[in-house]
């Protein structure tokens, strides 16, 4: 058997060789000048029979021919739409390089990585949008709590004013009581003439007593109101502190999302292109 017969034997067996591979594969056989045989699959297009080897610059076929070594490279979907493994091995006959056998096989693992990376990037994008919405809600809630805190402070100021007014009411009630008492004494001195005035004086003293009692009740209730406001302010501060921690966590989560997105994009855009 000479070298031509040896190459012809390989050429006659290409379809059988194709069955050996675990994935769909395209096979091409070249002599030292051109493509002399080809078996292919629908989505892998190799150079047609008769294509000079000089037209295959930069391919694993040319590299195997020039180096005399088996060359294998993983490539992305840029050319055929699917990731694939390109392999070329030199053919020797009695130590003479007489040709190259090249294969293009679909790389399911690389395709899985690519699709997974794309799905991951899409999922992270959705999660990032959700976390941004949560962060915006935190900001809005913080603003509302600040406004509520400002209002409680205003109420505290109003309580201080109410205390001052109550003090004035009690003072007026005391003075009114004293005046009513004096009026009752004078009415008593006047005898029958002062009887009507005595009734008015008693009513005045009664109203003064009721005003004094009402102001006393209000004064007693004010500390409870202040205590409730203090508790509200304390609760607001605690909630703000918690939200601050959550906001920090959201920021850290966004940073993690950005890192994951960057990694996914790197897988899609860099790892899956030709090595």
């Amino acid at each position: 058997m000479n070298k031509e017969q040896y190459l012809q034997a390989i050429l006659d067996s290409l379809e059988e060789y194709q069955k050996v591979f675990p994935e769909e594969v395209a096979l091409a056989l070249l002599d030292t000048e051109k493509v002399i045989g080809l078996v292919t699959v629908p989505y892998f297009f190799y150079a047609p029979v008769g294509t000079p080897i000089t037209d295959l610059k930069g391919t694993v076929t040319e590299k195997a021919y020039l180096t005399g070594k088996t060359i294998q490279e993983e490539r992305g979907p840029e050319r055929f739409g699917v990731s694939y493994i390109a392999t070329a091995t030199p053919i020797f006959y009695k130590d003479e390089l007489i040709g190259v056998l090249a294969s293009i096989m679909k790389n399911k693992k690389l395709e899985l990585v690519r699709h997974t990376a794309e799905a991951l990037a899409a999922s992270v994008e959705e999660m990032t949008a959700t976390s941004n919405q949560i962060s915006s809600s935190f900001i809005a809630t913080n603003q509302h709590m600040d406004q509520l805190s400002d209002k409680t402070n205003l109420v505290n100021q109003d309580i201080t004013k109410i205390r001052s007014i109550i003090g004035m009411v009690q003072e007026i009630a005391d003075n009114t009581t004293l005046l009513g008492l004096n009026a009752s004494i004078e009415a008593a001195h006047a005898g029958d003439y002062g009887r009507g005035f005595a009734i008015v004086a008693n009513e005045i003293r009664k109203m003064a007593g009721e005003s004094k009692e009402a102001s006393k009740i209000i004064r007693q209730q004010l500390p409870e109101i202040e205590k409730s406001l203090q508790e509200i302010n304390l609760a607001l501060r605690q909630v703000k502190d918690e939200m601050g921690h959550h906001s920090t966590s959201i920021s850290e989560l966004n940073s993690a999302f950005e890192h994951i997105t960057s990694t996914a994009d790197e897988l899609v855009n860099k790892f899956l292109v030709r090595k």
Side-chain angles (χ1 to χ4, degrees):
M1 178 184 291
N2 57 33
K3 61 183 181 181
E4 287 79 12
Q5 293 171 327
Y6 186 68
L7 275 178
Q8 185 62 45
I10 297 174
L11 178 61
D12 293 341
S13 303
L14 278 184
E15 291 186 2
E16 294 302 316
Y17 290 157
Q18 189 185 40
K19 298 176 183 177
V20 175
F21 288 86
E23 308 288 351
E24 293 179 303
V25 64
L27 296 175
L29 180 65
L30 299 90
D31 57 17
T32 57
E33 295 179 356
K34 62 185 179 301
V35 178
I36 61 173
L38 181 67
V39 289
T40 187
V41 289
Y43 44 78
F44 285 144
F45 174 76
Y46 198 85
V49 173
T51 301
I53 197 168
T54 52
D55 288 353
L56 303 176
K57 292 186 179 300
T59 64
V60 293
T61 302
E62 183 197 40
K63 293 176 184 178
Y65 176 73
L66 294 176
T67 64
K69 298 178 181 179
T70 297
I71 304 296
Q72 186 177 86
E73 294 178 354
E74 292 181 354
R75 304 199 179 189
E78 296 74 31
R79 182 176 180 185
F80 297 116
V82 294
S83 300
Y84 64 96
I85 300 174
T87 307
T89 185
I91 300 172
F92 291 93
Y93 181 79
K94 296 180 179 181
D95 296 329
E96 178 186 355
L97 179 64
I98 62 171
V100 176
L101 178 63
S103 69
I104 303 174
M105 183 175 68
K106 185 177 180 180
N107 191 340
K108 286 189 175 180
K109 291 182 179 179
L110 207 57
E111 276 294 288
L112 178 61
V113 171
R114 182 171 70 88
H115 289 306
T116 301
E118 290 174 345
L120 177 62
S123 297
V124 169
E125 185 177 351
E126 291 178 2
M127 289 187 291
T128 300
T130 300
S131 67
N132 286 336
Q133 290 176 352
I134 294 172
S135 182
S136 298
S137 297
F138 279 168
I139 293 172
T141 303
N142 261 326
Q143 291 174 344
H144 291 319
M145 286 194 297
D146 285 338
Q147 293 172 357
L148 182 58
S149 181
D150 290 340
K151 289 180 180 179
T152 58
N153 290 331
L154 289 175
V155 173
N156 273 323
Q157 294 175 9
D158 290 339
I159 288 175
T160 301
K161 294 177 181 178
I162 291 171
R163 273 205 175 90
S164 176
I165 294 171
I166 288 174
M168 293 173 60
V169 169
Q170 284 188 325
E171 184 178 352
I172 292 171
D174 290 338
N175 291 334
T176 304
T177 301
L178 183 60
L179 288 173
L181 180 61
N182 291 334
S184 296
I185 294 171
E186 293 299 327
H189 289 164
D192 292 338
Y193 296 103
R195 188 171 301 168
F197 186 68
I199 295 172
V200 174
N202 285 333
E203 289 299 320
I204 291 173
R205 289 171 58 195
K206 182 179 178 182
M207 290 176 58
E210 291 174 352
S211 298
K212 188 173 182 179
E213 185 63 25
S215 63
K216 180 181 177 182
I217 292 172
I218 294 173
R219 185 183 292 273
Q220 290 172 345
Q221 290 177 342
L222 288 179
E224 294 298 323
I225 297 173
E226 284 183 317
K227 181 180 178 182
S228 297
L229 289 173
Q230 289 172 356
E231 291 174 352
I232 291 172
N233 274 327
L234 178 60
L236 287 174
R237 286 196 297 269
Q238 290 174 341
V239 172
K240 285 193 66 175
D241 289 342
E242 287 296 325
M243 291 186 66
H245 294 316
H246 291 320
S247 294
T248 301
S249 298
I250 289 292
S251 298
E252 293 173 354
L253 186 61
N254 279 334
S255 297
F257 284 162
E258 289 175 3
H259 178 69
I260 294 172
T261 302
S262 175
T263 301
D265 288 342
E266 185 176 352
L267 284 173
V268 174
N269 299 323
K270 296 181 180 179
F271 178 71
L272 298 179
V273 299
R274 182 173 59 186
K275 293 184 177 179

